[in-house]
Amino acid sequence: MSFTNLRIRFQTARSLPAPYAYFYTLDMRPAFGDFLQVDLSITYPDRDDIEDDELIAEGFTRDDDFTWSGRLSKPWLQAVAKLAEQTKLQPAGEDDLDEDDDFWELTLKQNPGPDRQGRPAATGPGSTDNWQYLVQELTQATFEADGRERPFELTYLRIGPEDHEVRLIASFAQRNVNFKTIRNRRERNRSLPWTALQDIMTAVFANDYDPDMAQLKRPKAPGQWLNLGTDEWYNISAFPDLTEKLENL
């Protein structure tokens, strides 16, 4: 059984105010056997009475609404098809939601089989949490494909007593992770399964990095350093869990 069309309608809980509230419509379907056709529209409502300075202070802009239509690579088609197959749907009536409940409605067309509509179950492999995470990754993929965002980049550098460097690039649009290790002047190129990226990013962003303490040029002093694709290099010697994970890549 395979899906022929999938529509997701989502809206944040009524208790979440602007500028954080948003809703989106996401349509997906297989295209030419090897691609996922995506039509995404995200809207941030009720911002007219919010000053620009306040929006900027919260990390938003006046023009955050986003629309994108295009194709993503075969790994995306496989990921969506797998989650759709695992998903059990239950009634998605808005009247049954509390103030703090997000609204979800999935409409799934399959061949063979009848159309299904409802809200993903709260638990299990096809849960709302798993859909939420997949949609977040997919949205990042559309931002990358649209040129709004770059692939995720990470460089880890250990200086002394034996230099070690790791350069990682994760493309959400292609759904792949490639990295290079340099040790004793020997380079090794490898790839990681996409599922490894979540663990790496969780470890990286579990720590606070002080921009006032960052170096703006490639370090030369001994230590363990992290660069996230910008000019800043952070000394992460005080974060042993993170350095151990990066050392073991």
Side-chain angles (χ1 to χ4, degrees):
M1 182 181 294
S2 61
F3 83 99
T4 58
N5 193 283
L6 173 62
R7 164 169 282 199
I8 302 176
R9 293 175 57 234
F10 172 88
Q11 184 164 349
T12 52
R14 295 190 298 272
S15 60
L16 188 67
Y20 312 102
Y22 65 94
F23 61 88
Y24 67 77
T25 300
L26 174 60
D27 288 294
M28 297 176 284
R29 66 180 185 276
F32 303 106
D34 288 327
F35 298 95
L36 179 70
Q37 174 65 37
V38 176
D39 297 283
L40 173 64
S41 177
I42 306 174
T43 302
Y44 293 84
D46 304 324
R47 290 187 173 184
D48 292 343
D49 295 331
I50 301 177
E51 298 293 335
D52 288 348
D53 290 346
E54 183 178 346
L55 286 174
I56 293 172
E58 294 296 331
F60 298 107
T61 70
R62 181 63 63 188
D63 188 27
D64 287 327
D65 290 357
F66 178 68
T67 300
W68 187 82
S69 180
R71 295 177 191 144
L72 295 178
S73 59
K74 187 173 183 178
W76 272 111
L77 175 61
Q78 295 169 331
V80 172
K82 179 179 179 180
L83 190 56
E85 186 176 347
Q86 296 172 331
T87 297
K88 296 180 180 180
L89 298 177
Q90 56 193 24
E94 289 188 70
D95 295 338
D96 299 328
L97 298 178
D98 294 331
E99 287 286 324
D100 297 328
D101 291 334
D102 296 331
F103 171 77
W104 282 88
E105 184 184 74
L106 270 67
T107 303
L108 180 60
K109 296 184 178 181
Q110 301 174 118
N111 184 25
D115 295 354
R116 295 192 289 147
Q117 187 176 62
R119 176 188 179 92
T123 59
S127 67
T128 52
D129 286 345
N130 287 337
W131 275 108
Q132 185 84 306
Y133 186 76
L134 185 73
V135 171
Q136 288 173 356
E137 288 191 335
L138 190 145
T139 301
Q140 186 67 25
T142 65
F143 288 167
E144 186 181 311
D146 193 58
R148 288 193 172 201
E149 300 280 356
R150 296 167 53 190
F152 174 73
E153 297 182 30
L154 176 155
T155 301
Y156 168 69
L157 178 62
R158 171 164 51 78
I159 301 178
E162 180 183 291
D163 290 356
H164 179 205
E165 183 171 350
V166 174
R167 303 174 187 171
L168 180 148
I169 298 179
S171 169
F172 282 79
Q174 298 301 320
R175 202 172 172 84
N176 60 26
V177 183
N178 296 303
F179 73 101
K180 175 191 294 185
T181 57
I182 306 173
R183 193 191 297 263
N184 295 329
R185 298 183 180 179
R186 294 182 178 179
E187 296 187 5
R188 183 184 181 189
N189 293 294
R190 299 168 59 195
S191 61
L192 284 174
W194 181 255
T195 52
L197 181 63
Q198 182 180 3
D199 191 39
I200 294 170
M201 294 184 71
T202 297
V204 167
F205 293 110
N207 305 292
D208 292 325
Y209 308 105
D210 186 351
D212 293 332
M213 300 296 291
Q215 293 198 22
L216 300 182
K217 293 183 179 180
R218 183 182 174 92
K220 297 181 179 180
Q224 293 165 293
W225 303 88
L226 178 67
N227 177 276
L228 296 175
T230 61
D231 292 334
E232 291 82 8
W233 288 85
Y234 301 100
N235 189 330
I236 59 171
S237 301
F239 305 136
D241 291 343
L242 174 58
T243 56
E244 180 181 3
K245 184 174 293 295
L246 297 178
E247 283 280 349
N248 291 329
L249 285 175

